[in-house]
Amino acid sequence: MTTTGGAAPPGRKVPRGGAPAGRRGPDGATWFLVLPALIPILVLSVGPLLYGIALAFTDAQSGRTRSTRWTGTLNFQDLLHDGLFWESFRIGLLWAVGVTAWQFVLALGLALLLNTDLRLRWPARALAIIPWAMPEVVVGIMWRLVYSPDAGILNETLRDLGLGEGRDWLTGLATALPAVVLVGVWAGMPQTTVALLAGLQNTPHELHEAAALDGAGAWRRFRTVTWPALVPVALAVTALNFIWNFNSFALVYVLTGGGPGGRTRLPMLFAYEEAFRYGQFGYAAAMGCVMVAVISVVLAVFLAGRLKGGEDT
């Protein structure tokens, strides 16, 4: 049976005006429900971000009597020749990559362990997330006590084992960054563990049973069953961890303050010093813009990979 004129097919509603029913934009009630969550984001996130970008093109400095002038891209030109900033940028990348990589490897092992029929599994899961529940300032103070050269647990243990008199881990040029990376891994590993554990529990158990019946060992089952199911979770948590670690401030600030000799001065610490120690707000805002650009590139690569993966499937 054919339709004539503007008649709609059976089961298809035609709204007033003759246009076919489709997706409609959000109505007033929808905006009323969204606004309470949208306004704080605009005021506390988008607004300061736009203001910071505008500030990067000025010579804004501390002091009420100082007038602010528009300088264009002068701050960014100065950044291109600022060796200290690019050194902090290199240290920030080493920190972010090192912490993110070790967080993922150790969290994956812990998640696999907690996903087994381990005795006292639930208390072990609760203990595993304790570092995640602690504020970064508390974590920094605690680990400063661990690394203390005189009465720290680490040096006392080394002395008891006859492995030397210990050292000042946070002020040594060669040990400061590795020591801080270790703390970052310990503090951030629980959230990665929780995400990977959730991915493991969503993997159908029947696939593991089928692979075991086919004679696949533990490593082969992980490579052919577990890991493919974990890839989306692994990509998401790795990208988020990299962004979080690259923007880290409080933990390193409490542990070393960027020392010794700038060996742990992350880009966020460098921008903080420029803004609040030297009063160069415009220059610090330009540093923030560069960091936002880096994070945007990471997000773009991540989203492109996810979209490509979705098309392949």
Side-chain angles (χ1 to χ4, degrees), residues 22-269:
R23 293 184 178 179
R24 294 182 299 176
D27 53 15
T30 303
W31 282 113
F32 180 77
L33 296 174
V34 170
L35 279 179
L38 187 61
I39 291 176
I41 295 176
L42 294 174
V43 174
L44 301 177
S45 297
V46 178
L49 176 62
L50 297 177
Y51 178 72
I53 293 175
L55 205 64
F57 296 92
T58 68
D59 63 348
Q61 299 178 8
S62 62
R64 296 182 178 179
T65 59
R66 293 182 177 272
S67 59
T68 300
R69 297 178 303 170
W70 181 268
T71 58
T73 60
L74 182 61
N75 288 326
F76 296 96
Q77 295 175 19
D78 292 340
L79 272 181
L80 290 176
H81 303 91
D82 192 340
L84 292 176
F85 171 74
W86 293 113
E87 177 63 17
S88 73
F89 205 86
R90 183 187 69 85
I91 293 172
L93 289 177
L94 290 175
W95 152 269
V97 172
V99 173
T100 302
W102 281 109
Q103 275 179 353
F104 180 81
V105 172
L106 297 177
L108 179 60
L110 184 58
L112 290 172
L113 179 63
L114 295 177
N115 195 47
T116 60
D117 294 330
L118 185 69
R119 293 184 61 184
L120 302 177
R121 179 174 56 180
W122 291 106
R125 289 180 178 179
L127 291 173
I129 64 174
I130 286 179
W132 191 15
M134 299 174 63
E136 285 188 317
V137 174
V138 176
V139 172
I141 294 173
M142 182 185 72
W143 277 90
R144 280 184 66 91
L145 297 176
V146 172
Y147 285 135
S148 175
D150 299 323
I153 298 175
L154 180 57
N155 281 340
E156 288 293 332
T157 303
L158 293 177
R159 295 189 188 101
D160 293 341
L161 296 176
L163 298 178
E165 292 299 320
R167 58 197 308 172
D168 196 346
W169 300 93
L170 294 178
T171 59
L173 296 177
T175 59
L177 185 59
V180 172
V181 167
L182 175 62
V183 180
V185 172
W186 182 86
M189 191 173 66
Q191 62 185 20
T192 308
T193 302
V194 171
L196 294 177
L197 183 59
L200 289 173
Q201 292 178 339
N202 287 329
T203 304
H205 188 66
E206 293 78 8
L207 296 178
H208 291 277
E209 293 179 347
L213 291 175
D214 290 339
W219 169 247
R220 185 178 176 186
R221 290 199 304 271
F222 173 79
R223 184 170 53 86
T224 59
V225 177
T226 304
W227 178 247
L230 275 182
V231 167
V233 178
L235 289 175
V237 74
T238 301
L240 293 175
N241 282 344
F242 179 84
I243 293 171
W244 178 264
N245 292 324
F246 188 79
N247 289 327
S248 181
F249 173 81
L251 187 63
V252 180
Y253 182 78
V254 173
L255 283 169
T256 64
R263 294 301 175 91
T264 61
R265 185 187 290 135
L266 305 182
M268 193 65 69
L269 281 171

Side-chain angles (χ1 to χ4, degrees), residues 49 235-244 246-247 291-308:
L49 176 62
L235 289 175
V237 74
T238 301
L240 293 175
N241 282 344
F242 179 84
I243 293 171
W244 178 264
F246 188 79
N247 289 327
M291 287 184 277
V292 169
V294 171
I295 298 303
S296 300
V297 170
V298 173
L299 283 175
V301 172
F302 168 70
L303 292 176
R306 290 296 303 271
L307 291 175
K308 182 179 180 180

